[in-house]
Amino acid sequence: MIGTAANAYKHQNQGGIAMGKTIAITGASSGIGLATAMKLAENEWTVYAGTRNVERDQAQYTGVANLHFVEMEVTDPASLQRAFDRIHEEQGKLDVLFCNAGYGYLRALGQAEFTEIQAVFDTNVYGVMHTIRAALPLLQKAESGHLIATSSVGGLVGQPLNEIYCASKFAVEGLLESLATYYKPAFNIDVTLLEPGAIATHFVDTVMGHVGRTGGILEDEYKPIITKYIEGFQSRNTVPQTAESVAEVVWELLHMDVKPLRIRTSEAAEAFVRYKTEKDATGLEGMQNTRKLQLNLE
């Protein structure tokens, strides 16, 4: 079941959107990105799935029509430009850009090496910026474009020992909320932040694997805090949301006449951020107020 913000808009478009649309997805070799790529390819979308290992992924999914793996290293603007040049040559436009590449990081600010902090921001924040910059001309060529980025409930609610990850997602929230104030009236491009909670993907395994590779749970003043956090996380998320169910939320989002600025992907995610979102669940009211105040646009 999707979150309240999604339910609020679900009824607005039962007719669906035209098939034959084109989407580019970063971080599409696994998890939410791959599940979304598969869902859309199976429904006649042309999908450019970003990966670091094109040969491996294309061979694994060679039987899936409409699914094209392409190198998209979001920390390398040249890699992104090559990908979007190919899309321009083959499609002439891009209907949807889904900035999904990102990774988690579980260390206290007082523990983290600066090179690790920089790496988180290089992918989670600057990677989103690089991708949007490269894709924007193609989105502008579409009749109606849509920019989606995977944020997190951690982009709305700060959490212990997640301060670096949360800071990166707060930055993505600020970036897309700002773009939303003028992308729609100026370029007819909708902007949406996808805000999942705990997901049953390799994401959590990657985070904990990094902790293990960098000394495990350190014997310092943060150990009692991180131990409680991990225990609580595991007890609260015994049945995490699947990547496939998030892909269904994306599918429904693409069919909405009025695209929300923010959309949670589960009731659990909705409940977690409720105290920050209950007055403006979709984010549209606040964004439209800013648009009117600063640009005199309705």
Side-chain angles (χ1 to χ4, degrees):
M1 183 180 293
I2 61 178
T4 304
N7 285 329
Y9 281 82
K10 184 177 177 181
H11 70 281
Q12 293 196 20
N13 186 341
Q14 298 299 326
I17 115 182
M19 296 296 101
K21 297 253 182 181
T22 300
I23 185 171
I25 307 173
T26 63
S29 61
S30 64
I32 293 170
L34 178 60
T36 303
M38 295 290 287
K39 172 72 177 180
L40 295 183
E42 290 166 357
N43 282 277
E44 300 179 31
W45 280 62
T46 299
V47 179
Y48 290 87
T51 179
R52 292 172 173 170
N53 195 326
V54 174
E55 186 175 341
R56 176 200 64 194
D57 294 334
Q58 196 67 63
Q60 186 172 356
Y61 298 98
T62 188
V64 181
N66 310 313
L67 180 59
H68 311 282
F69 284 96
V70 59
E71 180 187 298
M72 290 188 190
E73 172 49 72
V74 299
T75 63
D76 179 4
S79 168
L80 292 168
Q81 193 59 58
R82 288 191 296 271
F84 290 110
D85 283 348
R86 172 182 168 182
I87 296 171
H88 180 257
E89 291 173 5
E90 296 178 358
Q91 307 297 329
K93 64 178 178 62
L94 182 65
D95 297 291
V96 181
L97 173 65
F98 184 10
C99 298
N100 176 67
Y103 69 94
Y105 183 80
L106 186 65
R107 284 287 190 209
L109 181 61
Q111 296 174 316
E113 297 290 338
F114 184 78
T115 53
E116 295 178 341
I117 297 172
Q118 184 70 52
V120 172
F121 275 73
D122 281 346
T123 295
N124 291 8
V125 182
Y126 305 132
V128 174
M129 292 181 176
H130 291 319
T131 305
I132 295 170
R133 283 165 58 91
L136 182 58
L138 284 176
L139 284 172
Q140 290 173 299
K141 290 179 181 294
E143 287 184 16
S144 177
H146 193 180
L147 166 61
I148 306 169
T150 299
S151 178
S152 166
V153 294
L156 292 171
V157 179
Q159 299 166 57
L161 285 306
N162 280 265
E163 52 262 41
I164 294 162
Y165 174 73
C166 287
S168 74
K169 290 303 184 180
F170 268 68
V172 171
E173 292 270 338
L175 173 66
L176 265 73
E177 183 172 326
S178 298
L179 296 179
T181 62
Y182 67 96
Y183 267 30
K184 181 66 172 179
F187 308 133
N188 201 27
I189 297 172
D190 287 293
V191 177
T192 301
L193 288 149
L194 191 72
E195 298 167 335
I199 305 295
T201 69
H202 296 302
F203 184 88
V204 173
D205 293 338
T206 300
V207 173
M208 295 312 298
H210 175 268
V211 171
R213 290 191 303 274
T214 56
I217 298 176
L218 304 178
E219 295 290 338
D220 59 15
E221 65 268 37
Y222 300 102
K223 182 177 181 180
I225 306 170
I226 193 169
T227 299
K228 286 182 180 179
Y229 172 80
I230 293 173
E231 289 174 352
F233 181 88
Q234 292 173 336
S235 66
R236 291 192 309 271
N237 298 288
T238 54
V239 186
Q241 186 179 16
T242 65
E244 288 73 22
S245 69
V246 177
E248 290 294 335
V249 175
V250 176
W251 177 248
E252 292 180 2
L253 168 65
L254 293 171
H255 287 72
M256 295 175 185
D257 282 334
V258 180
K259 307 294 195 293
L261 171 61
R262 292 184 172 87
I263 187 168
R264 267 70 66 198
T265 64
S266 68
E267 295 294 346
E270 193 70 62
F272 187 77
V273 302
R274 183 176 60 245
Y275 80 94
K276 278 201 171 179
T277 62
E278 59 186 356
K279 291 185 178 180
D280 188 12
T282 67
L284 286 176
E285 184 177 347
M287 180 274 294
Q288 290 168 348
N289 181 65
T290 300
R291 179 188 291 165
K292 182 176 181 180
L293 178 67
Q294 297 188 330
L295 297 177
N296 197 29
L297 293 172
E298 295 294 337

